[in-house]
Amino acid sequence: MRLFLLLFITVPIVEMWLLIEVSSHIGAYSTIFLVFLTAAMGLALLRQQGLSTLLRVDQRMARGELPAGEILEGVMLAVGGALLLTPGFITDAIGFACLLPFSRKLLVALLLKQSKVQASYGNNRGFQSSFQSTESMRASSTQPDLQNGSVIEGEYKREP
């Protein structure tokens, strides 16, 4: 919590200082133009990357797979878009890192390597979710072998 408060206070101060320094070298109008240019480029990139990510989510869902990587990419796209709309060069650099495919995929791969999300619904207790390390997920993931007579138990209800 303290880290976020510190970032919330220091990032705008550093951004203002950097904007003043850049405008003293290239001029105020050029600096304002650069801020608008990065915002416009970011929005165009966000639109393109967002649509491609949505298509990949749809494809994985159609195959019956959990699109965990694509969901994280979507979150990173939203964060990157918000940072690009914020005036400043530091936030623009972080925003572009979230929007550019190669850096975003690298960050998502690092996040997915750190932890996996396991979600289940059962025992009339509602939705349960837990985070496990990748190794424990691999050790506990047993797929039913339907061709060798495995049975999946469940309940059903017929509605007229």
Side-chain angles (χ1 to χ4, degrees), residues 13-50:
I13 293 170
V14 173
E15 288 284 13
M16 285 188 292
W17 173 79
L18 188 59
L19 285 169
I20 292 168
E21 285 295 316
V22 169
S23 67
S24 70
H25 291 291
I26 65 172
Y29 291 119
S30 298
T31 304
I32 292 170
F33 175 74
L34 278 176
V35 168
F36 279 116
L37 180 67
T38 57
M41 287 173 45
L43 285 176
L45 189 60
L46 175 63
R47 181 181 216 171
Q48 182 227 2
Q49 293 298 313

mmCIF file of all heavy atoms in Angstrom, residues 13-50:
data_model
loop_
_atom_site.group_PDB
_atom_site.id
_atom_site.type_symbol
_atom_site.label_atom_id
_atom_site.label_comp_id
_atom_site.label_asym_id
_atom_site.label_seq_id
_atom_site.Cartn_x
_atom_site.Cartn_y
_atom_site.Cartn_z
ATOM 1 N N ILE A 13 5.151 14.009 -10.173
ATOM 2 C CA ILE A 13 6.195 15.025 -9.992
ATOM 3 C C ILE A 13 7.317 14.808 -10.996
ATOM 4 O O ILE A 13 7.783 15.751 -11.655
ATOM 5 C CB ILE A 13 6.717 15.008 -8.540
ATOM 6 C CG1 ILE A 13 5.607 15.466 -7.585
ATOM 7 C CG2 ILE A 13 7.958 15.872 -8.396
ATOM 8 C CD1 ILE A 13 5.925 15.268 -6.129
ATOM 9 N N VAL A 14 7.747 13.577 -11.150
ATOM 10 C CA VAL A 14 8.805 13.270 -12.120
ATOM 11 C C VAL A 14 8.318 13.541 -13.545
ATOM 12 O O VAL A 14 9.075 14.069 -14.378
ATOM 13 C CB VAL A 14 9.286 11.811 -11.947
ATOM 14 C CG1 VAL A 14 10.245 11.414 -13.048
ATOM 15 C CG2 VAL A 14 9.925 11.618 -10.587
ATOM 16 N N GLU A 15 7.065 13.197 -13.838
ATOM 17 C CA GLU A 15 6.503 13.465 -15.165
ATOM 18 C C GLU A 15 6.481 14.970 -15.473
ATOM 19 O O GLU A 15 6.838 15.386 -16.575
ATOM 20 C CB GLU A 15 5.083 12.903 -15.279
ATOM 21 C CG GLU A 15 5.008 11.417 -15.362
ATOM 22 C CD GLU A 15 5.391 10.835 -16.723
ATOM 23 O OE1 GLU A 15 5.956 11.556 -17.571
ATOM 24 O OE2 GLU A 15 5.130 9.655 -16.920
ATOM 25 N N MET A 16 6.055 15.775 -14.496
ATOM 26 C CA MET A 16 6.040 17.231 -14.710
ATOM 27 C C MET A 16 7.449 17.756 -14.938
ATOM 28 O O MET A 16 7.674 18.579 -15.831
ATOM 29 C CB MET A 16 5.389 17.944 -13.517
ATOM 30 C CG MET A 16 3.891 17.805 -13.476
ATOM 31 S SD MET A 16 3.113 18.817 -12.205
ATOM 32 C CE MET A 16 3.679 18.036 -10.719
ATOM 33 N N TRP A 17 8.405 17.284 -14.150
ATOM 34 C CA TRP A 17 9.791 17.720 -14.312
ATOM 35 C C TRP A 17 10.295 17.362 -15.703
ATOM 36 O O TRP A 17 10.923 18.186 -16.380
ATOM 37 C CB TRP A 17 10.670 17.098 -13.236
ATOM 38 C CG TRP A 17 12.122 17.382 -13.442
ATOM 39 C CD1 TRP A 17 12.782 18.526 -13.144
ATOM 40 C CD2 TRP A 17 13.070 16.504 -14.041
ATOM 41 N NE1 TRP A 17 14.096 18.419 -13.508
ATOM 42 C CE2 TRP A 17 14.300 17.178 -14.070
ATOM 43 C CE3 TRP A 17 12.998 15.212 -14.552
ATOM 44 C CZ2 TRP A 17 15.447 16.607 -14.594
ATOM 45 C CZ3 TRP A 17 14.141 14.647 -15.064
ATOM 46 C CH2 TRP A 17 15.346 15.344 -15.080
ATOM 47 N N LEU A 18 10.012 16.133 -16.143
ATOM 48 C CA LEU A 18 10.477 15.692 -17.459
ATOM 49 C C LEU A 18 9.808 16.483 -18.580
ATOM 50 O O LEU A 18 10.472 16.858 -19.561
ATOM 51 C CB LEU A 18 10.217 14.199 -17.627
ATOM 52 C CG LEU A 18 10.815 13.533 -18.858
ATOM 53 C CD1 LEU A 18 12.331 13.679 -18.870
ATOM 54 C CD2 LEU A 18 10.433 12.062 -18.892
ATOM 55 N N LEU A 19 8.520 16.765 -18.438
ATOM 56 C CA LEU A 19 7.828 17.574 -19.453
ATOM 57 C C LEU A 19 8.428 18.979 -19.529
ATOM 58 O O LEU A 19 8.597 19.532 -20.629
ATOM 59 C CB LEU A 19 6.327 17.642 -19.156
ATOM 60 C CG LEU A 19 5.523 16.388 -19.480
ATOM 61 C CD1 LEU A 19 4.120 16.496 -18.899
ATOM 62 C CD2 LEU A 19 5.471 16.149 -20.971
ATOM 63 N N ILE A 20 8.747 19.555 -18.393
ATOM 64 C CA ILE A 20 9.362 20.886 -18.381
ATOM 65 C C ILE A 20 10.739 20.845 -19.027
ATOM 66 O O ILE A 20 11.092 21.718 -19.825
ATOM 67 C CB ILE A 20 9.428 21.431 -16.934
ATOM 68 C CG1 ILE A 20 8.015 21.731 -16.425
ATOM 69 C CG2 ILE A 20 10.305 22.675 -16.859
ATOM 70 C CD1 ILE A 20 7.934 21.998 -14.940
ATOM 71 N N GLU A 21 11.523 19.823 -18.718
ATOM 72 C CA GLU A 21 12.862 19.692 -19.314
ATOM 73 C C GLU A 21 12.783 19.512 -20.828
ATOM 74 O O GLU A 21 13.529 20.139 -21.576
ATOM 75 C CB GLU A 21 13.618 18.521 -18.683
ATOM 76 C CG GLU A 21 14.128 18.798 -17.303
ATOM 77 C CD GLU A 21 15.189 19.889 -17.279
ATOM 78 O OE1 GLU A 21 16.095 19.885 -18.135
ATOM 79 O OE2 GLU A 21 15.089 20.750 -16.393
ATOM 80 N N VAL A 22 11.885 18.644 -21.271
ATOM 81 C CA VAL A 22 11.743 18.414 -22.718
ATOM 82 C C VAL A 22 11.265 19.682 -23.408
ATOM 83 O O VAL A 22 11.780 20.061 -24.472
ATOM 84 C CB VAL A 22 10.792 17.231 -22.990
ATOM 85 C CG1 VAL A 22 10.421 17.143 -24.462
ATOM 86 C CG2 VAL A 22 11.417 15.929 -22.525
ATOM 87 N N SER A 23 10.307 20.377 -22.808
ATOM 88 C CA SER A 23 9.798 21.605 -23.445
ATOM 89 C C SER A 23 10.853 22.712 -23.462
ATOM 90 O O SER A 23 10.841 23.554 -24.353
ATOM 91 C CB SER A 23 8.526 22.091 -22.756
ATOM 92 O OG SER A 23 8.807 22.527 -21.443
ATOM 93 N N SER A 24 11.783 22.709 -22.527
ATOM 94 C CA SER A 24 12.839 23.714 -22.566
ATOM 95 C C SER A 24 13.829 23.439 -23.695
ATOM 96 O O SER A 24 14.497 24.353 -24.171
ATOM 97 C CB SER A 24 13.570 23.779 -21.223
ATOM 98 O OG SER A 24 14.342 22.619 -21.025
ATOM 99 N N HIS A 25 13.913 22.191 -24.143
ATOM 100 C CA HIS A 25 14.828 21.840 -25.231
ATOM 101 C C HIS A 25 14.165 21.916 -26.613
ATOM 102 O O HIS A 25 14.801 22.368 -27.566
ATOM 103 C CB HIS A 25 15.419 20.448 -25.026
ATOM 104 C CG HIS A 25 16.374 20.372 -23.879
ATOM 105 N ND1 HIS A 25 17.611 20.975 -23.888
ATOM 106 C CD2 HIS A 25 16.259 19.761 -22.677
ATOM 107 C CE1 HIS A 25 18.224 20.742 -22.751
ATOM 108 N NE2 HIS A 25 17.417 20.009 -21.981
ATOM 109 N N ILE A 26 12.932 21.450 -26.725
ATOM 110 C CA ILE A 26 12.301 21.418 -28.045
ATOM 111 C C ILE A 26 11.136 22.396 -28.177
ATOM 112 O O ILE A 26 10.577 22.528 -29.258
ATOM 113 C CB ILE A 26 11.826 19.995 -28.405
ATOM 114 C CG1 ILE A 26 10.703 19.515 -27.474
ATOM 115 C CG2 ILE A 26 12.980 19.020 -28.409
ATOM 116 C CD1 ILE A 26 10.064 18.204 -27.905
ATOM 117 N N GLY A 27 10.746 23.023 -27.108
ATOM 118 C CA GLY A 27 9.650 23.989 -27.155
ATOM 119 C C GLY A 27 8.354 23.414 -26.616
ATOM 120 O O GLY A 27 8.130 22.202 -26.646
ATOM 121 N N ALA A 28 7.503 24.304 -26.157
ATOM 122 C CA ALA A 28 6.247 23.892 -25.532
ATOM 123 C C ALA A 28 5.296 23.257 -26.544
ATOM 124 O O ALA A 28 4.677 22.221 -26.255
ATOM 125 C CB ALA A 28 5.575 25.087 -24.854
ATOM 126 N N TYR A 29 5.183 23.853 -27.734
ATOM 127 C CA TYR A 29 4.241 23.317 -28.731
ATOM 128 C C TYR A 29 4.675 21.940 -29.214
ATOM 129 O O TYR A 29 3.843 21.044 -29.400
ATOM 130 C CB TYR A 29 4.100 24.273 -29.914
ATOM 131 C CG TYR A 29 3.379 25.549 -29.551
ATOM 132 C CD1 TYR A 29 4.002 26.776 -29.682
ATOM 133 C CD2 TYR A 29 2.073 25.518 -29.059
ATOM 134 C CE1 TYR A 29 3.351 27.953 -29.341
ATOM 135 C CE2 TYR A 29 1.418 26.681 -28.716
ATOM 136 C CZ TYR A 29 2.057 27.893 -28.852
ATOM 137 O OH TYR A 29 1.398 29.043 -28.511
ATOM 138 N N SER A 30 5.973 21.757 -29.393
ATOM 139 C CA SER A 30 6.465 20.442 -29.813
ATOM 140 C C SER A 30 6.232 19.395 -28.732
ATOM 141 O O SER A 30 5.888 18.241 -29.028
ATOM 142 C CB SER A 30 7.953 20.515 -30.138
ATOM 143 O OG SER A 30 8.182 21.396 -31.210
ATOM 144 N N THR A 31 6.396 19.775 -27.483
ATOM 145 C CA THR A 31 6.164 18.850 -26.376
ATOM 146 C C THR A 31 4.690 18.462 -26.306
ATOM 147 O O THR A 31 4.357 17.278 -26.148
ATOM 148 C CB THR A 31 6.610 19.472 -25.045
ATOM 149 O OG1 THR A 31 7.974 19.858 -25.152
ATOM 150 C CG2 THR A 31 6.448 18.491 -23.895
ATOM 151 N N ILE A 32 3.811 19.440 -26.447
ATOM 152 C CA ILE A 32 2.365 19.153 -26.432
ATOM 153 C C ILE A 32 1.996 18.269 -27.609
ATOM 154 O O ILE A 32 1.210 17.325 -27.481
ATOM 155 C CB ILE A 32 1.561 20.473 -26.430
ATOM 156 C CG1 ILE A 32 1.764 21.189 -25.098
ATOM 157 C CG2 ILE A 32 0.085 20.201 -26.687
ATOM 158 C CD1 ILE A 32 1.213 22.604 -25.070
ATOM 159 N N PHE A 33 2.603 18.540 -28.775
ATOM 160 C CA PHE A 33 2.359 17.710 -29.940
ATOM 161 C C PHE A 33 2.810 16.271 -29.685
ATOM 162 O O PHE A 33 2.109 15.315 -30.050
ATOM 163 C CB PHE A 33 3.072 18.283 -31.173
ATOM 164 C CG PHE A 33 2.967 17.410 -32.374
ATOM 165 C CD1 PHE A 33 1.780 17.323 -33.080
ATOM 166 C CD2 PHE A 33 4.054 16.664 -32.802
ATOM 167 C CE1 PHE A 33 1.673 16.503 -34.191
ATOM 168 C CE2 PHE A 33 3.966 15.848 -33.909
ATOM 169 C CZ PHE A 33 2.771 15.768 -34.608
ATOM 170 N N LEU A 34 3.973 16.081 -29.061
ATOM 171 C CA LEU A 34 4.459 14.739 -28.755
ATOM 172 C C LEU A 34 3.527 14.000 -27.799
ATOM 173 O O LEU A 34 3.281 12.798 -27.954
ATOM 174 C CB LEU A 34 5.856 14.799 -28.146
ATOM 175 C CG LEU A 34 7.018 14.934 -29.110
ATOM 176 C CD1 LEU A 34 8.330 15.086 -28.341
ATOM 177 C CD2 LEU A 34 7.089 13.751 -30.040
ATOM 178 N N VAL A 35 2.994 14.715 -26.819
ATOM 179 C CA VAL A 35 2.062 14.092 -25.864
ATOM 180 C C VAL A 35 0.800 13.630 -26.593
ATOM 181 O O VAL A 35 0.324 12.505 -26.392
ATOM 182 C CB VAL A 35 1.725 15.067 -24.715
ATOM 183 C CG1 VAL A 35 0.557 14.559 -23.884
ATOM 184 C CG2 VAL A 35 2.939 15.284 -23.836
ATOM 185 N N PHE A 36 0.264 14.469 -27.482
ATOM 186 C CA PHE A 36 -0.925 14.079 -28.252
ATOM 187 C C PHE A 36 -0.603 12.962 -29.245
ATOM 188 O O PHE A 36 -1.422 12.067 -29.458
ATOM 189 C CB PHE A 36 -1.522 15.282 -28.985
ATOM 190 C CG PHE A 36 -2.381 16.136 -28.114
ATOM 191 C CD1 PHE A 36 -2.021 17.445 -27.835
ATOM 192 C CD2 PHE A 36 -3.561 15.649 -27.560
ATOM 193 C CE1 PHE A 36 -2.808 18.240 -27.026
ATOM 194 C CE2 PHE A 36 -4.353 16.435 -26.747
ATOM 195 C CZ PHE A 36 -3.974 17.732 -26.477
ATOM 196 N N LEU A 37 0.592 13.011 -29.846
ATOM 197 C CA LEU A 37 0.981 11.981 -30.795
ATOM 198 C C LEU A 37 1.095 10.614 -30.118
ATOM 199 O O LEU A 37 0.606 9.608 -30.661
ATOM 200 C CB LEU A 37 2.312 12.343 -31.454
ATOM 201 C CG LEU A 37 2.848 11.356 -32.476
ATOM 202 C CD1 LEU A 37 1.930 11.319 -33.700
ATOM 203 C CD2 LEU A 37 4.258 11.743 -32.886
ATOM 204 N N THR A 38 1.713 10.553 -28.956
ATOM 205 C CA THR A 38 1.824 9.273 -28.252
ATOM 206 C C THR A 38 0.452 8.754 -27.824
ATOM 207 O O THR A 38 0.199 7.544 -27.873
ATOM 208 C CB THR A 38 2.748 9.366 -27.023
ATOM 209 O OG1 THR A 38 2.269 10.375 -26.152
ATOM 210 C CG2 THR A 38 4.181 9.635 -27.432
ATOM 211 N N ALA A 39 -0.445 9.666 -27.438
ATOM 212 C CA ALA A 39 -1.801 9.234 -27.063
ATOM 213 C C ALA A 39 -2.538 8.682 -28.284
ATOM 214 O O ALA A 39 -3.198 7.628 -28.183
ATOM 215 C CB ALA A 39 -2.575 10.393 -26.458
ATOM 216 N N ALA A 40 -2.426 9.340 -29.431
ATOM 217 C CA ALA A 40 -3.102 8.867 -30.645
ATOM 218 C C ALA A 40 -2.521 7.534 -31.119
ATOM 219 O O ALA A 40 -3.264 6.614 -31.487
ATOM 220 C CB ALA A 40 -2.986 9.917 -31.744
ATOM 221 N N MET A 41 -1.193 7.424 -31.097
ATOM 222 C CA MET A 41 -0.564 6.162 -31.492
ATOM 223 C C MET A 41 -0.955 5.045 -30.533
ATOM 224 O O MET A 41 -1.211 3.912 -30.958
ATOM 225 C CB MET A 41 0.957 6.317 -31.517
ATOM 226 C CG MET A 41 1.472 7.126 -32.673
ATOM 227 S SD MET A 41 3.245 7.474 -32.595
ATOM 228 C CE MET A 41 3.953 5.927 -32.139
ATOM 229 N N GLY A 42 -1.015 5.358 -29.251
ATOM 230 C CA GLY A 42 -1.398 4.365 -28.258
ATOM 231 C C GLY A 42 -2.824 3.880 -28.436
ATOM 232 O O GLY A 42 -3.108 2.687 -28.315
ATOM 233 N N LEU A 43 -3.739 4.803 -28.735
ATOM 234 C CA LEU A 43 -5.131 4.407 -28.947
ATOM 235 C C LEU A 43 -5.274 3.529 -30.181
ATOM 236 O O LEU A 43 -6.033 2.550 -30.169
ATOM 237 C CB LEU A 43 -6.018 5.641 -29.062
ATOM 238 C CG LEU A 43 -6.309 6.358 -27.753
ATOM 239 C CD1 LEU A 43 -7.119 7.624 -28.003
ATOM 240 C CD2 LEU A 43 -7.046 5.450 -26.796
ATOM 241 N N ALA A 44 -4.550 3.856 -31.245
ATOM 242 C CA ALA A 44 -4.603 3.029 -32.451
ATOM 243 C C ALA A 44 -4.043 1.631 -32.170
ATOM 244 O O ALA A 44 -4.621 0.616 -32.587
ATOM 245 C CB ALA A 44 -3.828 3.701 -33.580
ATOM 246 N N LEU A 45 -2.933 1.573 -31.459
ATOM 247 C CA LEU A 45 -2.331 0.294 -31.112
ATOM 248 C C LEU A 45 -3.231 -0.500 -30.164
ATOM 249 O O LEU A 45 -3.379 -1.718 -30.306
ATOM 250 C CB LEU A 45 -0.955 0.518 -30.490
ATOM 251 C CG LEU A 45 -0.085 -0.690 -30.246
ATOM 252 C CD1 LEU A 45 0.199 -1.422 -31.548
ATOM 253 C CD2 LEU A 45 1.221 -0.268 -29.598
ATOM 254 N N LEU A 46 -3.847 0.187 -29.216
ATOM 255 C CA LEU A 46 -4.761 -0.463 -28.280
ATOM 256 C C LEU A 46 -5.941 -1.076 -29.024
ATOM 257 O O LEU A 46 -6.347 -2.209 -28.744
ATOM 258 C CB LEU A 46 -5.250 0.546 -27.237
ATOM 259 C CG LEU A 46 -6.302 0.059 -26.255
ATOM 260 C CD1 LEU A 46 -5.754 -1.064 -25.389
ATOM 261 C CD2 LEU A 46 -6.775 1.206 -25.388
ATOM 262 N N ARG A 47 -6.471 -0.362 -29.976
ATOM 263 C CA ARG A 47 -7.617 -0.864 -30.742
ATOM 264 C C ARG A 47 -7.232 -2.128 -31.512
ATOM 265 O O ARG A 47 -7.945 -3.136 -31.478
ATOM 266 C CB ARG A 47 -8.094 0.212 -31.698
ATOM 267 C CG ARG A 47 -9.267 -0.193 -32.516
ATOM 268 C CD ARG A 47 -9.654 0.920 -33.439
ATOM 269 N NE ARG A 47 -11.087 0.929 -33.560
ATOM 270 C CZ ARG A 47 -11.761 1.859 -34.146
ATOM 271 N NH1 ARG A 47 -11.147 2.916 -34.634
ATOM 272 N NH2 ARG A 47 -13.064 1.785 -34.240
ATOM 273 N N GLN A 48 -6.104 -2.077 -32.200
ATOM 274 C CA GLN A 48 -5.666 -3.213 -32.998
ATOM 275 C C GLN A 48 -5.337 -4.416 -32.123
ATOM 276 O O GLN A 48 -5.796 -5.534 -32.370
ATOM 277 C CB GLN A 48 -4.455 -2.822 -33.841
ATOM 278 C CG GLN A 48 -3.971 -3.935 -34.728
ATOM 279 C CD GLN A 48 -2.477 -4.130 -34.671
ATOM 280 O OE1 GLN A 48 -1.783 -3.451 -33.937
ATOM 281 N NE2 GLN A 48 -1.985 -5.074 -35.428
ATOM 282 N N GLN A 49 -4.555 -4.209 -31.071
ATOM 283 C CA GLN A 49 -4.157 -5.305 -30.197
ATOM 284 C C GLN A 49 -5.340 -5.850 -29.394
ATOM 285 O O GLN A 49 -5.417 -7.038 -29.126
ATOM 286 C CB GLN A 49 -3.037 -4.856 -29.249
ATOM 287 C CG GLN A 49 -1.741 -4.545 -29.944
ATOM 288 C CD GLN A 49 -1.177 -5.758 -30.647
ATOM 289 O OE1 GLN A 49 -1.109 -6.840 -30.081
ATOM 290 N NE2 GLN A 49 -0.776 -5.578 -31.886
ATOM 291 N N GLY A 50 -6.249 -4.963 -29.008
ATOM 292 C CA GLY A 50 -7.427 -5.394 -28.263
ATOM 293 C C GLY A 50 -8.313 -6.309 -29.082
ATOM 294 O O GLY A 50 -8.807 -7.333 -28.591
#
